[in-house]
């Protein structure tokens, strides 16, 4: 049972160059040594696609942010101008400030940002008609200081990190590794593969890729030195890996689609990193688009990021021990979700909700 405790309406909406709203959420824990984490992109904890950060600290007219009392960040960006911001809210959804940034298309529904070890990582794509962004950006969520990491690869579409490196991938079949200490960059080509999503888990980099010739999907696993550890084929074709999340030895992933011909529609994929096998969890709902873990359960929102929706959309809750799936209707769109302590934050349209 979910109880609506707070509601913040009429969040500012920023649109891309084609008239479409861009949104992606980010959940930030308090500074009391509690690690921030990313909320769902394109929804929940609304992080409307955060864009580039300040090149050298805050501008003189930068709005102050009470980051210590901030619980959620909303990322907002434009595809037609190099202007973006993160709007912060406390647990009661009262605004605590905003950070202005100078990038275009920074984050977004299809370019998931990442929060790891107290920093937000994202890739500014650049103006929508150029997509010439070639760097990664990191924002310290305690000081709001910004660092840029030039990678010199265009069209980067996913980002991962560990203690030493920032990893990115792009549509030209490249995996990229940038050492944060000195900015040294190395790239690895996977010929004829479109790399859809990457993540660092435990001691390995996992890359979900689709063949440009057969559309078959594979999972590549590399060690920290770019040595290939394993390569696993996923039988299902036409699969688009949209978002991934790791829990214990398993990587959960969702694709986009309204019917079975579109791949993992109505399913959550599960990759076992120890057995190198792939399974699925059936869920009653199209367009699984956002996932979050809480107390032994996997929360899944259902939303079509291509078409959007002003009507209600469901979300599913999967008990990871029993496999039982419960479905909930909240009476509004559920684009993205973020869970922080005992609160479920939901982005629906231009409204940010908090449930307990």
């Amino acid at each position: 049972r979910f109880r609506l405790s707070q509601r913040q309406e009429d969040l500012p909406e920023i649109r891309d160059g084609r008239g479409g709203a861009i949104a992606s959420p980010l959940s930030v824990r308090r500074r009391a040594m509690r690690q921030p984490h990313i909320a769902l992109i394109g929804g929940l904890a609304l992080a409307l696609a955060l864009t580039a950060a300040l090149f050298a600290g805050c501008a003189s007219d930068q709005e102050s942010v009470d980051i210590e009392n901030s619980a959620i960040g909303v990322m907002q960006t434009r595809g037609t101008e190099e202007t973006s911001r993160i709007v912060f809210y406390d647990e009661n959804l009262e605004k605590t400030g905003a950070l202005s940034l100078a990038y275009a298309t920074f984050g977004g529904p299809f370019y998931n940002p990442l929060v790891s070890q107290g920093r937000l990582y994202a890739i500014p794509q650049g103006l929508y008609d150029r997509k010439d962004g070639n760097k990664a950006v990191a924002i310290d969520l305690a000081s709001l200081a910004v660092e840029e990491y030039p990678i010199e690869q265009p069209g980067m579409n996913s980002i991962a990190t560990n203690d030493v490196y920032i990893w990115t991938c792009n549509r030209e079949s490249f995996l990229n590794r940038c050492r944060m200490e000195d900015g040294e960059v190395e790239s690895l080509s996977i010929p004829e593969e479109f790399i859809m999503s990457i993540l660092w888990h435990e001691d390995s980099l996992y890359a979900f890729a689709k063949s440009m010739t057969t559309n078959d999907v594979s999972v590549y696993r590399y060690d920290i030195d770019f040595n290939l550890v394993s390569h696993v084929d996923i039988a299902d074709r036409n699969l688009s890996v949209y978002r991934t999340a790791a829990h214990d030895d398993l990587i959960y992933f969702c694709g986009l689609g309204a019917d079975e011909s579109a791949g993992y529609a109505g399913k959550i994929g599960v990759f076992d990193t120890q057995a190198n096998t792939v399974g699925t969890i059936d869920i009653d709902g199209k367009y699984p688009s956002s996932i979050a873990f809480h107390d032994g359960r996997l929360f899944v929102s259902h939303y079509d990021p291509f078409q959007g929706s002003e009507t209600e959309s469901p979300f599913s809750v999967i008990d990871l021990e029993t496999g039982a799936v419960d479905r909930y209707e909240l009476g509004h769109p559920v684009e993205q979700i973020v869970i922080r302590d005992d609160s479920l934050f939901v982005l629906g349209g231009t409204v940010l909700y908090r449930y307990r």
Side-chain angles (χ1 to χ4, degrees), residues 52-97:
L54 308 166
F55 291 92
C58 298
S60 58
D61 60 350
Q62 180 68 42
E63 180 179 341
S64 63
V65 179
D66 181 4
I67 195 66
E68 184 174 355
N69 291 312
S70 297
I72 282 289
V74 174
M75 303 166 65
Q76 301 178 326
T77 192
R78 295 179 185 271
T80 55
E81 300 177 24
E82 293 183 336
T83 177
S84 301
R85 64 177 179 168
I86 309 174
V87 182
F88 294 93
Y89 297 89
D90 64 17
E91 292 183 347
N92 296 317
L93 302 187
E94 297 292 336
K95 181 179 175 182
T96 58

mmCIF file of all heavy atoms in Angstrom, residues 52-97:
data_model
loop_
_atom_site.group_PDB
_atom_site.id
_atom_site.type_symbol
_atom_site.label_atom_id
_atom_site.label_comp_id
_atom_site.label_asym_id
_atom_site.label_seq_id
_atom_site.Cartn_x
_atom_site.Cartn_y
_atom_site.Cartn_z
ATOM 1 N N ALA A 52 25.567 20.099 -18.966
ATOM 2 C CA ALA A 52 26.935 20.318 -18.586
ATOM 3 C C ALA A 52 27.100 21.192 -17.387
ATOM 4 O O ALA A 52 26.261 21.939 -17.018
ATOM 5 C CB ALA A 52 27.614 20.981 -19.724
ATOM 6 N N ALA A 53 28.217 21.062 -16.785
ATOM 7 C CA ALA A 53 28.436 21.806 -15.577
ATOM 8 C C ALA A 53 29.342 22.969 -15.829
ATOM 9 O O ALA A 53 29.900 23.113 -16.883
ATOM 10 C CB ALA A 53 29.065 20.893 -14.572
ATOM 11 N N LEU A 54 29.475 23.791 -14.794
ATOM 12 C CA LEU A 54 30.306 24.967 -14.926
ATOM 13 C C LEU A 54 31.743 24.573 -15.218
ATOM 14 O O LEU A 54 32.237 23.613 -14.694
ATOM 15 C CB LEU A 54 30.261 25.741 -13.620
ATOM 16 C CG LEU A 54 28.838 25.999 -13.194
ATOM 17 C CD1 LEU A 54 28.787 26.438 -11.772
ATOM 18 C CD2 LEU A 54 28.233 27.035 -14.062
ATOM 19 N N PHE A 55 32.364 25.347 -16.028
ATOM 20 C CA PHE A 55 33.731 24.978 -16.420
ATOM 21 C C PHE A 55 34.710 25.230 -15.286
ATOM 22 O O PHE A 55 35.664 24.524 -15.121
ATOM 23 C CB PHE A 55 34.156 25.782 -17.652
ATOM 24 C CG PHE A 55 33.393 25.380 -18.870
ATOM 25 C CD1 PHE A 55 32.231 26.038 -19.224
ATOM 26 C CD2 PHE A 55 33.826 24.329 -19.642
ATOM 27 C CE1 PHE A 55 31.529 25.655 -20.339
ATOM 28 C CE2 PHE A 55 33.127 23.934 -20.761
ATOM 29 C CZ PHE A 55 31.974 24.607 -21.113
ATOM 30 N N ALA A 56 34.501 26.271 -14.513
ATOM 31 C CA ALA A 56 35.454 26.564 -13.434
ATOM 32 C C ALA A 56 34.702 27.113 -12.243
ATOM 33 O O ALA A 56 34.773 28.283 -11.931
ATOM 34 C CB ALA A 56 36.492 27.559 -13.902
ATOM 35 N N GLY A 57 33.971 26.265 -11.584
ATOM 36 C CA GLY A 57 33.229 26.707 -10.415
ATOM 37 C C GLY A 57 31.933 27.374 -10.791
ATOM 38 O O GLY A 57 31.508 27.354 -11.927
ATOM 39 N N CYS A 58 31.319 28.007 -9.806
ATOM 40 C CA CYS A 58 30.003 28.606 -10.008
ATOM 41 C C CYS A 58 30.132 30.013 -10.571
ATOM 42 O O CYS A 58 31.057 30.750 -10.262
ATOM 43 C CB CYS A 58 29.245 28.651 -8.680
ATOM 44 S SG CYS A 58 28.944 27.012 -8.000
ATOM 45 N N ALA A 59 29.164 30.366 -11.381
ATOM 46 C CA ALA A 59 29.140 31.724 -11.912
ATOM 47 C C ALA A 59 28.758 32.695 -10.809
ATOM 48 O O ALA A 59 28.196 32.317 -9.781
ATOM 49 C CB ALA A 59 28.138 31.806 -13.056
ATOM 50 N N SER A 60 29.016 33.977 -11.044
ATOM 51 C CA SER A 60 28.772 34.969 -10.002
ATOM 52 C C SER A 60 27.296 35.082 -9.652
ATOM 53 O O SER A 60 26.950 35.441 -8.532
ATOM 54 C CB SER A 60 29.296 36.335 -10.465
ATOM 55 O OG SER A 60 28.661 36.719 -11.681
ATOM 56 N N ASP A 61 26.419 34.766 -10.603
ATOM 57 C CA ASP A 61 24.992 34.858 -10.330
ATOM 58 C C ASP A 61 24.391 33.496 -9.989
ATOM 59 O O ASP A 61 23.184 33.311 -10.009
ATOM 60 C CB ASP A 61 24.247 35.454 -11.525
ATOM 61 C CG ASP A 61 24.413 34.628 -12.793
ATOM 62 O OD1 ASP A 61 25.261 33.704 -12.784
ATOM 63 O OD2 ASP A 61 23.694 34.902 -13.766
ATOM 64 N N GLN A 62 25.260 32.539 -9.659
ATOM 65 C CA GLN A 62 24.795 31.199 -9.357
ATOM 66 C C GLN A 62 23.908 31.200 -8.115
ATOM 67 O O GLN A 62 24.238 31.772 -7.089
ATOM 68 C CB GLN A 62 25.994 30.273 -9.130
ATOM 69 C CG GLN A 62 25.624 28.847 -8.797
ATOM 70 C CD GLN A 62 24.994 28.162 -9.970
ATOM 71 O OE1 GLN A 62 25.436 28.316 -11.089
ATOM 72 N NE2 GLN A 62 23.941 27.418 -9.727
ATOM 73 N N GLU A 63 22.761 30.526 -8.218
ATOM 74 C CA GLU A 63 21.850 30.415 -7.085
ATOM 75 C C GLU A 63 22.452 29.501 -6.027
ATOM 76 O O GLU A 63 23.067 28.485 -6.337
ATOM 77 C CB GLU A 63 20.521 29.834 -7.577
ATOM 78 C CG GLU A 63 19.470 29.671 -6.498
ATOM 79 C CD GLU A 63 18.167 29.125 -7.054
ATOM 80 O OE1 GLU A 63 17.979 29.221 -8.289
ATOM 81 O OE2 GLU A 63 17.353 28.619 -6.274
ATOM 82 N N SER A 64 22.312 29.859 -4.753
ATOM 83 C CA SER A 64 22.849 29.025 -3.691
ATOM 84 C C SER A 64 22.007 27.765 -3.527
ATOM 85 O O SER A 64 20.826 27.733 -3.863
ATOM 86 C CB SER A 64 22.871 29.804 -2.368
ATOM 87 O OG SER A 64 21.546 30.138 -1.978
ATOM 88 N N VAL A 65 22.642 26.702 -3.025
ATOM 89 C CA VAL A 65 21.971 25.421 -2.843
ATOM 90 C C VAL A 65 22.223 24.929 -1.423
ATOM 91 O O VAL A 65 23.366 24.851 -0.979
ATOM 92 C CB VAL A 65 22.492 24.371 -3.842
ATOM 93 C CG1 VAL A 65 21.801 23.031 -3.610
ATOM 94 C CG2 VAL A 65 22.291 24.842 -5.276
ATOM 95 N N ASP A 66 21.149 24.603 -0.718
ATOM 96 C CA ASP A 66 21.267 23.978 0.602
ATOM 97 C C ASP A 66 21.410 22.481 0.379
ATOM 98 O O ASP A 66 20.460 21.716 0.535
ATOM 99 C CB ASP A 66 20.029 24.291 1.440
ATOM 100 C CG ASP A 66 20.110 23.687 2.842
ATOM 101 O OD1 ASP A 66 21.156 23.097 3.178
ATOM 102 O OD2 ASP A 66 19.111 23.785 3.589
ATOM 103 N N ILE A 67 22.609 22.066 -0.029
ATOM 104 C CA ILE A 67 22.806 20.691 -0.449
ATOM 105 C C ILE A 67 22.673 19.732 0.722
ATOM 106 O O ILE A 67 22.270 18.566 0.552
ATOM 107 C CB ILE A 67 24.181 20.533 -1.144
ATOM 108 C CG1 ILE A 67 24.242 19.206 -1.907
ATOM 109 C CG2 ILE A 67 25.312 20.653 -0.141
ATOM 110 C CD1 ILE A 67 23.297 19.120 -3.067
ATOM 111 N N GLU A 68 22.986 20.181 1.949
ATOM 112 C CA GLU A 68 22.921 19.292 3.102
ATOM 113 C C GLU A 68 21.504 18.801 3.360
ATOM 114 O O GLU A 68 21.296 17.675 3.823
ATOM 115 C CB GLU A 68 23.464 20.004 4.345
ATOM 116 C CG GLU A 68 23.514 19.121 5.576
ATOM 117 C CD GLU A 68 24.188 19.793 6.750
ATOM 118 O OE1 GLU A 68 24.698 20.918 6.578
ATOM 119 O OE2 GLU A 68 24.191 19.186 7.827
ATOM 120 N N ASN A 69 20.514 19.629 3.056
ATOM 121 C CA ASN A 69 19.123 19.255 3.296
ATOM 122 C C ASN A 69 18.403 18.828 2.011
ATOM 123 O O ASN A 69 17.185 18.685 2.012
ATOM 124 C CB ASN A 69 18.367 20.413 3.947
ATOM 125 C CG ASN A 69 18.828 20.663 5.375
ATOM 126 O OD1 ASN A 69 18.936 19.729 6.161
ATOM 127 N ND2 ASN A 69 19.147 21.908 5.695
ATOM 128 N N SER A 70 19.149 18.630 0.950
ATOM 129 C CA SER A 70 18.533 18.215 -0.307
ATOM 130 C C SER A 70 18.381 16.700 -0.346
ATOM 131 O O SER A 70 19.277 15.967 0.070
ATOM 132 C CB SER A 70 19.385 18.673 -1.493
ATOM 133 O OG SER A 70 19.468 20.091 -1.539
ATOM 134 N N ALA A 71 17.245 16.251 -0.853
ATOM 135 C CA ALA A 71 16.971 14.821 -0.942
ATOM 136 C C ALA A 71 16.863 14.350 -2.378
ATOM 137 O O ALA A 71 17.146 13.192 -2.675
ATOM 138 C CB ALA A 71 15.679 14.479 -0.193
ATOM 139 N N ILE A 72 16.442 15.242 -3.268
ATOM 140 C CA ILE A 72 16.189 14.866 -4.660
ATOM 141 C C ILE A 72 16.698 15.980 -5.573
ATOM 142 O O ILE A 72 16.600 17.159 -5.235
ATOM 143 C CB ILE A 72 14.675 14.660 -4.894
ATOM 144 C CG1 ILE A 72 14.260 13.306 -4.335
ATOM 145 C CG2 ILE A 72 14.316 14.732 -6.352
ATOM 146 C CD1 ILE A 72 14.776 12.138 -5.141
ATOM 147 N N GLY A 73 17.235 15.593 -6.717
ATOM 148 C CA GLY A 73 17.645 16.579 -7.703
ATOM 149 C C GLY A 73 16.899 16.369 -9.002
ATOM 150 O O GLY A 73 16.699 15.237 -9.440
ATOM 151 N N VAL A 74 16.463 17.454 -9.621
ATOM 152 C CA VAL A 74 15.780 17.389 -10.909
ATOM 153 C C VAL A 74 16.699 17.971 -11.974
ATOM 154 O O VAL A 74 17.095 19.129 -11.902
ATOM 155 C CB VAL A 74 14.464 18.176 -10.879
ATOM 156 C CG1 VAL A 74 13.842 18.212 -12.269
ATOM 157 C CG2 VAL A 74 13.506 17.557 -9.887
ATOM 158 N N MET A 75 17.052 17.156 -12.938
ATOM 159 C CA MET A 75 17.971 17.573 -13.983
ATOM 160 C C MET A 75 17.182 18.123 -15.163
ATOM 161 O O MET A 75 16.273 17.475 -15.662
ATOM 162 C CB MET A 75 18.830 16.396 -14.423
ATOM 163 C CG MET A 75 19.602 15.757 -13.289
ATOM 164 S SD MET A 75 20.300 14.138 -13.729
ATOM 165 C CE MET A 75 21.457 14.598 -15.001
ATOM 166 N N GLN A 76 17.542 19.300 -15.612
ATOM 167 C CA GLN A 76 16.839 19.951 -16.718
ATOM 168 C C GLN A 76 17.854 20.392 -17.769
ATOM 169 O O GLN A 76 18.915 20.894 -17.438
ATOM 170 C CB GLN A 76 16.055 21.164 -16.219
ATOM 171 C CG GLN A 76 15.016 20.810 -15.164
ATOM 172 C CD GLN A 76 14.284 22.033 -14.659
ATOM 173 O OE1 GLN A 76 14.864 23.106 -14.561
ATOM 174 N NE2 GLN A 76 13.023 21.860 -14.327
ATOM 175 N N THR A 77 17.506 20.199 -19.044
ATOM 176 C CA THR A 77 18.449 20.555 -20.100
ATOM 177 C C THR A 77 17.710 20.988 -21.353
ATOM 178 O O THR A 77 16.503 20.780 -21.481
ATOM 179 C CB THR A 77 19.369 19.367 -20.430
ATOM 180 O OG1 THR A 77 20.446 19.807 -21.256
ATOM 181 C CG2 THR A 77 18.605 18.262 -21.133
ATOM 182 N N ARG A 78 18.446 21.551 -22.271
ATOM 183 C CA ARG A 78 17.924 21.927 -23.590
ATOM 184 C C ARG A 78 18.798 21.328 -24.669
ATOM 185 O O ARG A 78 19.991 21.126 -24.467
ATOM 186 C CB ARG A 78 17.905 23.453 -23.764
ATOM 187 C CG ARG A 78 16.956 24.196 -22.843
ATOM 188 C CD ARG A 78 17.052 25.692 -23.085
ATOM 189 N NE ARG A 78 16.247 26.447 -22.147
ATOM 190 C CZ ARG A 78 14.964 26.762 -22.330
ATOM 191 N NH1 ARG A 78 14.351 26.362 -23.432
ATOM 192 N NH2 ARG A 78 14.305 27.448 -21.429
ATOM 193 N N GLY A 79 18.186 21.067 -25.829
ATOM 194 C CA GLY A 79 18.953 20.595 -26.963
ATOM 195 C C GLY A 79 19.311 21.703 -27.934
ATOM 196 O O GLY A 79 20.124 21.509 -28.824
ATOM 197 N N THR A 80 18.699 22.877 -27.739
ATOM 198 C CA THR A 80 18.925 23.995 -28.662
ATOM 199 C C THR A 80 19.854 25.055 -28.086
ATOM 200 O O THR A 80 20.291 25.939 -28.814
ATOM 201 C CB THR A 80 17.590 24.661 -29.004
ATOM 202 O OG1 THR A 80 16.923 25.042 -27.785
ATOM 203 C CG2 THR A 80 16.701 23.707 -29.784
ATOM 204 N N GLU A 81 20.135 24.979 -26.794
ATOM 205 C CA GLU A 81 21.011 25.958 -26.151
ATOM 206 C C GLU A 81 21.907 25.257 -25.148
ATOM 207 O O GLU A 81 21.537 24.218 -24.588
ATOM 208 C CB GLU A 81 20.187 27.027 -25.411
ATOM 209 C CG GLU A 81 19.239 27.824 -26.278
ATOM 210 C CD GLU A 81 18.419 28.792 -25.443
ATOM 211 O OE1 GLU A 81 18.884 29.157 -24.337
ATOM 212 O OE2 GLU A 81 17.316 29.150 -25.869
ATOM 213 N N GLU A 82 23.056 25.846 -24.909
ATOM 214 C CA GLU A 82 23.958 25.291 -23.910
ATOM 215 C C GLU A 82 23.579 25.835 -22.543
ATOM 216 O O GLU A 82 24.289 26.650 -21.950
ATOM 217 C CB GLU A 82 25.405 25.625 -24.275
ATOM 218 C CG GLU A 82 25.858 24.911 -25.540
ATOM 219 C CD GLU A 82 27.303 25.178 -25.883
ATOM 220 O OE1 GLU A 82 27.832 26.227 -25.446
ATOM 221 O OE2 GLU A 82 27.912 24.350 -26.577
ATOM 222 N N THR A 83 22.455 25.385 -22.076
ATOM 223 C CA THR A 83 21.968 25.818 -20.775
ATOM 224 C C THR A 83 21.192 24.685 -20.129
ATOM 225 O O THR A 83 20.337 24.072 -20.760
ATOM 226 C CB THR A 83 21.082 27.069 -20.898
ATOM 227 O OG1 THR A 83 20.559 27.416 -19.614
ATOM 228 C CG2 THR A 83 19.922 26.825 -21.845
ATOM 229 N N SER A 84 21.538 24.382 -18.894
ATOM 230 C CA SER A 84 20.883 23.316 -18.137
ATOM 231 C C SER A 84 20.999 23.653 -16.653
ATOM 232 O O SER A 84 21.704 24.581 -16.272
ATOM 233 C CB SER A 84 21.529 21.970 -18.416
ATOM 234 O OG SER A 84 21.454 21.660 -19.784
ATOM 235 N N ARG A 85 20.299 22.869 -15.855
ATOM 236 C CA ARG A 85 20.414 23.080 -14.419
ATOM 237 C C ARG A 85 19.926 21.842 -13.675
ATOM 238 O O ARG A 85 19.228 21.002 -14.229
ATOM 239 C CB ARG A 85 19.616 24.296 -13.973
ATOM 240 C CG ARG A 85 18.112 24.169 -14.179
ATOM 241 C CD ARG A 85 17.375 25.379 -13.649
ATOM 242 N NE ARG A 85 15.944 25.281 -13.858
ATOM 243 C CZ ARG A 85 15.053 26.081 -13.292
ATOM 244 N NH1 ARG A 85 15.465 27.053 -12.497
ATOM 245 N NH2 ARG A 85 13.762 25.920 -13.521
ATOM 246 N N ILE A 86 20.328 21.765 -12.416
ATOM 247 C CA ILE A 86 19.788 20.773 -11.500
ATOM 248 C C ILE A 86 19.033 21.542 -10.419
ATOM 249 O O ILE A 86 19.606 22.404 -9.747
ATOM 250 C CB ILE A 86 20.880 19.934 -10.840
ATOM 251 C CG1 ILE A 86 21.833 19.360 -11.884
ATOM 252 C CG2 ILE A 86 20.269 18.810 -10.016
ATOM 253 C CD1 ILE A 86 23.022 18.633 -11.292
ATOM 254 N N VAL A 87 17.765 21.233 -10.254
ATOM 255 C CA VAL A 87 16.951 21.843 -9.209
ATOM 256 C C VAL A 87 16.859 20.853 -8.061
ATOM 257 O O VAL A 87 16.487 19.692 -8.271
ATOM 258 C CB VAL A 87 15.551 22.211 -9.723
ATOM 259 C CG1 VAL A 87 14.746 22.896 -8.615
ATOM 260 C CG2 VAL A 87 15.646 23.110 -10.948
ATOM 261 N N PHE A 88 17.191 21.295 -6.866
ATOM 262 C CA PHE A 88 17.215 20.418 -5.697
ATOM 263 C C PHE A 88 15.981 20.651 -4.821
ATOM 264 O O PHE A 88 15.504 21.783 -4.676
ATOM 265 C CB PHE A 88 18.480 20.661 -4.873
ATOM 266 C CG PHE A 88 19.745 20.271 -5.584
ATOM 267 C CD1 PHE A 88 20.454 21.211 -6.327
ATOM 268 C CD2 PHE A 88 20.220 18.972 -5.532
ATOM 269 C CE1 PHE A 88 21.615 20.863 -6.986
ATOM 270 C CE2 PHE A 88 21.377 18.609 -6.198
ATOM 271 C CZ PHE A 88 22.085 19.560 -6.924
ATOM 272 N N TYR A 89 15.490 19.546 -4.214
ATOM 273 C CA TYR A 89 14.338 19.592 -3.314
ATOM 274 C C TYR A 89 14.654 18.816 -2.052
ATOM 275 O O TYR A 89 15.429 17.848 -2.068
ATOM 276 C CB TYR A 89 13.100 18.967 -3.985
ATOM 277 C CG TYR A 89 12.633 19.703 -5.212
ATOM 278 C CD1 TYR A 89 13.154 19.382 -6.472
ATOM 279 C CD2 TYR A 89 11.679 20.711 -5.138
ATOM 280 C CE1 TYR A 89 12.741 20.047 -7.611
ATOM 281 C CE2 TYR A 89 11.256 21.381 -6.272
ATOM 282 C CZ TYR A 89 11.787 21.054 -7.512
ATOM 283 O OH TYR A 89 11.369 21.709 -8.633
ATOM 284 N N ASP A 90 14.036 19.233 -0.931
ATOM 285 C CA ASP A 90 14.195 18.469 0.301
ATOM 286 C C ASP A 90 13.165 17.336 0.341
ATOM 287 O O ASP A 90 12.431 17.107 -0.624
ATOM 288 C CB ASP A 90 14.105 19.375 1.536
ATOM 289 C CG ASP A 90 12.730 20.023 1.701
ATOM 290 O OD1 ASP A 90 11.745 19.562 1.075
ATOM 291 O OD2 ASP A 90 12.631 20.998 2.474
ATOM 292 N N GLU A 91 13.095 16.631 1.471
ATOM 293 C CA GLU A 91 12.206 15.480 1.571
ATOM 294 C C GLU A 91 10.732 15.862 1.465
ATOM 295 O O GLU A 91 9.895 15.020 1.170
ATOM 296 C CB GLU A 91 12.465 14.738 2.877
ATOM 297 C CG GLU A 91 13.832 14.054 2.914
ATOM 298 C CD GLU A 91 14.050 13.272 4.178
ATOM 299 O OE1 GLU A 91 13.258 13.459 5.135
ATOM 300 O OE2 GLU A 91 15.000 12.474 4.225
ATOM 301 N N ASN A 92 10.408 17.114 1.731
ATOM 302 C CA ASN A 92 9.029 17.584 1.616
ATOM 303 C C ASN A 92 8.747 18.228 0.266
ATOM 304 O O ASN A 92 7.723 18.874 0.077
ATOM 305 C CB ASN A 92 8.716 18.576 2.739
ATOM 306 C CG ASN A 92 8.790 17.924 4.104
ATOM 307 O OD1 ASN A 92 8.301 16.816 4.297
ATOM 308 N ND2 ASN A 92 9.420 18.606 5.048
ATOM 309 N N LEU A 93 9.705 18.073 -0.662
ATOM 310 C CA LEU A 93 9.600 18.610 -2.016
ATOM 311 C C LEU A 93 9.581 20.134 -2.044
ATOM 312 O O LEU A 93 9.027 20.746 -2.961
ATOM 313 C CB LEU A 93 8.369 18.052 -2.748
ATOM 314 C CG LEU A 93 8.317 16.532 -2.876
ATOM 315 C CD1 LEU A 93 7.155 16.114 -3.754
ATOM 316 C CD2 LEU A 93 9.627 15.977 -3.420
ATOM 317 N N GLU A 94 10.211 20.743 -1.045
ATOM 318 C CA GLU A 94 10.438 22.190 -1.060
ATOM 319 C C GLU A 94 11.778 22.441 -1.739
ATOM 320 O O GLU A 94 12.775 21.770 -1.464
ATOM 321 C CB GLU A 94 10.446 22.750 0.367
ATOM 322 C CG GLU A 94 9.130 22.595 1.107
ATOM 323 C CD GLU A 94 8.020 23.453 0.505
ATOM 324 O OE1 GLU A 94 8.354 24.473 -0.142
ATOM 325 O OE2 GLU A 94 6.850 23.104 0.682
ATOM 326 N N LYS A 95 11.828 23.413 -2.610
ATOM 327 C CA LYS A 95 13.053 23.709 -3.353
ATOM 328 C C LYS A 95 14.149 24.188 -2.410
ATOM 329 O O LYS A 95 13.932 25.046 -1.553
ATOM 330 C CB LYS A 95 12.773 24.771 -4.413
ATOM 331 C CG LYS A 95 13.985 25.123 -5.266
ATOM 332 C CD LYS A 95 13.625 26.178 -6.311
ATOM 333 C CE LYS A 95 14.844 26.626 -7.102
ATOM 334 N NZ LYS A 95 14.514 27.688 -8.083
ATOM 335 N N THR A 96 15.357 23.637 -2.581
ATOM 336 C CA THR A 96 16.501 24.032 -1.765
ATOM 337 C C THR A 96 17.572 24.752 -2.570
ATOM 338 O O THR A 96 18.596 25.150 -2.006
ATOM 339 C CB THR A 96 17.131 22.796 -1.098
ATOM 340 O OG1 THR A 96 17.516 21.860 -2.117
ATOM 341 C CG2 THR A 96 16.150 22.127 -0.137
ATOM 342 N N GLY A 97 17.341 24.939 -3.856
ATOM 343 C CA GLY A 97 18.294 25.673 -4.681
ATOM 344 C C GLY A 97 18.446 25.032 -6.042
ATOM 345 O O GLY A 97 17.808 24.028 -6.361
#
